[in-house]
Structures are given as structure tokens and as C-alpha cells.
Amino acid sequence: MGRLFDNARAVRLILLGLVIVILGVAAVMIVMSRGQGDEVSAENSIETVDAEAMTIDTSEEYARELYGKRVEDVNDTSAVVDLMEAMKLEDITGGYDVTITADGDTRVLTVAIDDSVQKNDKKTLDDNMKLCAQQMMALMPSVGKVQWTYPLISAGAEDETVTVSLDEKGAAEGLKGDIEDYGASAGDFRDLLMQQAGEK
């Protein structure tokens, strides 16, 4: 009888040990799966630019509004900020920083885009920024070049920083005049907007 009791007790201890081991393994698996989930959500939480083809407002009111923000002195930071806000640049790029530097005799305006750009959105963003750059050069006569930089991401490849630039010659391609001609008046600027929209 004593032996049977001892054997039953030993079986119970063995079963209890197995349950503890199984629970321990399950807990480790849960922790590991949570850790993997965190990594996936961290990767998916990268902010990216929502690139959609830019719609050009060709109304007289909009042309007058933007022309009213024309920047004669690029050292006037508040004037530059006012122009960028009136252009609604943030709708195109998301967060950004603007700097203006001298490259010899040329003033270069750089837009550093904060968020990453998916590889399949690159062309759309660059096309949008070309339109913005044309408008910037028309309304900032001392700026001879606009460039924009952003982190580019694509599946299976390391992130890379891309820099695209447009000078006055490139800005005039596809237009009927030199880029500075479109900054002469609100009417001339509207002409630029209408050409960008394919209305002229």
C-alpha cells in the first residue's frame, strides 16, 4: 500500500513537472512571437510620402495669391516660409526643411523631405517637385536651381538618399519662355500655371 502511494505520488510529480515545462515553453513562444510582432510593426511604422499627381490650380485668384508672395530677398526667411505655405508644399512632400545656399553665382534652394519615398512613388514625387521648382524659380528670381532630397526605400534593398535637381535651363524645358519670364506679373505667373496644367 505504501509503495502504491509512493508510485502515485511520483506519477503526480512527474505530470506536474511536465505541465510546468509545457507552460514554460508556451510562455517563451508567446514572448518570441510578441517580439517578432513588435519588429514587424516597427518596420511598418516608417512614415512615407503619399505621392499623388499634383493638381494645378490655374485660377486668377490663386495666381494673384502666389504672386503676392513673390520673394525678392531670399535672406528674408519669413517671406520664403510664407511662399512655401501658400504653395501648400507640405501637401506634396509631408514634412520638409528648406535651405538656400550659394553655389558660385547661383543660389540653390534645397528641400529636404523628412519622410521616405517608396520606389514606385519616386516618379510621381519627382514630377510634382519639378512643377513646384518651376514655380519657386519664377517667384524667387535670385534662385537659379532647386533641388530636393529624400530617403528612397524599396523591398530587398537598403535605403538610399536621393537628390534630384532642376536648374533654370531644365525648368524652361516644355515651356514657351524662360522661367524668370513667368515671374514678371501675376498674369505671367498664371500663364506658367496653365502651361503646367496642359491648358496652354
Side-chain angles (χ1 to χ4, degrees):
M1 189 76 177
R3 284 182 182 175
L4 285 174
F5 179 77
D6 288 342
N7 287 342
R9 186 175 177 190
V11 168
R12 277 198 301 262
L13 287 173
I14 290 169
L15 288 173
L16 181 62
L18 283 171
V19 169
I20 291 170
V21 168
I22 289 168
L23 288 174
V25 169
V28 168
M29 289 175 70
I30 288 169
V31 168
M32 286 175 65
S33 68
R34 281 187 182 165
Q36 290 169 354
D38 289 345
E39 286 175 17
V40 170
S41 66
E43 289 174 5
N44 290 340
S45 68
I46 294 172
E47 293 293 326
T48 57
V49 174
D50 184 20
E52 293 181 8
M54 182 176 167
T55 302
I56 305 292
D57 184 345
T58 60
S59 67
E60 288 183 27
E61 294 77 15
Y62 183 67
R64 278 199 303 269
E65 179 191 355
L66 279 192
Y67 189 77
K69 305 289 184 181
R70 191 170 189 265
V71 179
E72 295 292 346
D73 180 7
V74 291
N75 295 314
D76 184 346
T77 307
S78 64
V80 174
V81 170
D82 285 348
L83 175 60
M84 299 299 145
E85 288 179 353
M87 289 177 65
K88 300 182 177 71
L89 185 61
E90 192 169 0
D91 292 349
I92 303 298
T93 65
Y96 64 89
D97 290 310
V98 170
T99 55
I100 299 175
T101 55
D103 181 9
D105 294 333
T106 304
R107 290 292 186 107
V108 180
L109 184 147
T110 301
V111 179
I113 299 170
D114 296 336
D115 295 339
S116 298
V117 175
Q118 298 279 1
K119 192 172 184 179
N120 57 347
D121 288 333
K122 181 183 188 309
K123 184 179 186 310
T124 302
L125 177 73
D126 288 340
D127 288 347
N128 290 343
M129 284 303 300
K130 178 180 177 182
L131 297 172
C132 291
Q134 288 175 321
Q135 295 174 22
M136 289 173 191
M137 281 189 268
L139 296 175
M140 290 188 275
S142 62
V143 170
K145 181 179 179 182
V146 174
Q147 64 183 19
W148 51 98
T149 67
Y150 52 84
L152 182 70
I153 57 175
S154 58
E158 289 186 17
D159 295 1
E160 58 176 309
T161 300
V162 172
T163 300
V164 183
S165 62
L166 191 71
D167 60 14
E168 290 178 333
K169 184 179 178 183
E173 287 179 10
L175 299 177
K176 297 174 183 175
D178 292 334
I179 196 63
E180 63 266 18
D181 295 341
Y182 297 102
S185 69
D188 289 321
F189 185 70
R190 186 179 181 220
D191 188 35
L192 170 63
L193 296 176
M194 292 175 77
Q195 288 186 57
Q196 288 183 329
E199 296 178 12
K200 268 192 145 184

